[in-house]
Amino acid sequence: MNTINSFVSEHYEQASTAFLADLKVSSKSAATYKQYHQVLNEFGTWLSTHTEDTDNGITEITPLLISKFKQSMFARGVKNNTVLHYLTMLRAFFKWATENRIYTEQPVTQSLMPNAEQIKHDIPTIDEINLLLSGKLPRYTRHSTMQRNRAIVTLFIQSGLRVSELCNLRIKDLDFEHNNVYVDHGKGNKSRYAPFPSIARKNVQEYIIHRRLELKPHNLPQDAFLFVGDDEHKPLTRQAVTKLVSGYVARLTGHRGIGAHDLRHAAASIWDNRGANIRDVQKALGHSKVETTERIYIQILDRKKAAENINKVFCD
């Protein structure tokens, strides 16, 4: 057994370090940088420990080597769409590397990319969404936690924010006068305004007032993170938000397994149910392409309305 030529691993490490440094100063978000960092590091670790049953060690990164990395992920039980995500990021890295003449060829060929599997989404029903927006609350031991979690759930449903976007919100991003939320550095480092309807505004406002009362005599600055835990200076993590949303929804509706991202899809569902234009939904969700929004419509939303509308065309 021979390990990969150490030059190959060292060359890759230098190239990936340069790529990440370039990514950090480009327009990519912190979340995107973190994902690339993880994927490139995992491939680098695999590369440095991979062995070959050949007489000569591998001296370059080839499509065959990428194929073996792909096979190793499947062998570890990594899900199909996660493998696709990893290879997509590696493909982007090697594209950058070939454009900068660090590598001469793209080893992540199109034929190596697995087909995406359709994800089965589980979202609250319209009745459950209405219950979550009704003001009714599950039992909590801490009043402040109750108000915060209600504000988070209703804001997800009415604004369609991504989890990372909600975690990074600051008080100054809320515009109560014009009923919108400013999303700074969303996916792809793009900024936008998300809707801020009345129920979410009311619940968020009550949470902020209660938080200010708890902080007296200290002030709550405008640049403070909106949703925090025990540490006033640190925002809630994605994991914490997903966990609290799941518990809140399950206790109030009995529907288990609903996560924070499912409420983003729930927002699209209720907008569609009330006749919102798909282009408006696209802008509110922050999709760069309307095709992405349409895919969500096809996979998630209730399409029976389309049949009902066509039936009306033939009514006398």
Side-chain angles (χ1 to χ4, degrees), residues 20 23 93 117 121 146 213 301 310:
L20 289 170
L23 200 65
F93 158 69
E117 289 182 353
H121 294 277
M146 172 193 70
L213 290 173
L301 304 185
I310 292 173

Side-chain angles (χ1 to χ4, degrees), residues 262-277:
D262 296 317
L263 294 188
R264 172 172 159 83
H265 292 312
S269 178
I270 199 166
W271 296 341
D272 174 69
N273 184 263
R274 297 183 180 179
N277 181 278

Side-chain angles (χ1 to χ4, degrees), residues 119-124 128 132 241-263 265:
I119 299 173
K120 294 182 179 180
H121 294 277
D122 186 15
I123 65 172
E128 289 170 342
L132 290 167
V241 169
T242 296
K243 183 177 180 180
L244 71 85
V245 165
S246 180
Y248 185 101
V249 174
R251 283 192 291 271
L252 187 57
T253 68
H255 193 155
R256 299 187 178 279
I258 297 293
H261 194 71
D262 296 317
L263 294 188
H265 292 312

Side-chain angles (χ1 to χ4, degrees), residues 138-153:
R139 293 181 180 180
Y140 282 92
T141 54
R142 293 173 58 187
H143 189 62
S144 58
T145 303
M146 172 193 70
Q147 289 189 314
R148 181 199 65 190
N149 294 1
R150 179 179 62 182
I152 288 173
V153 168

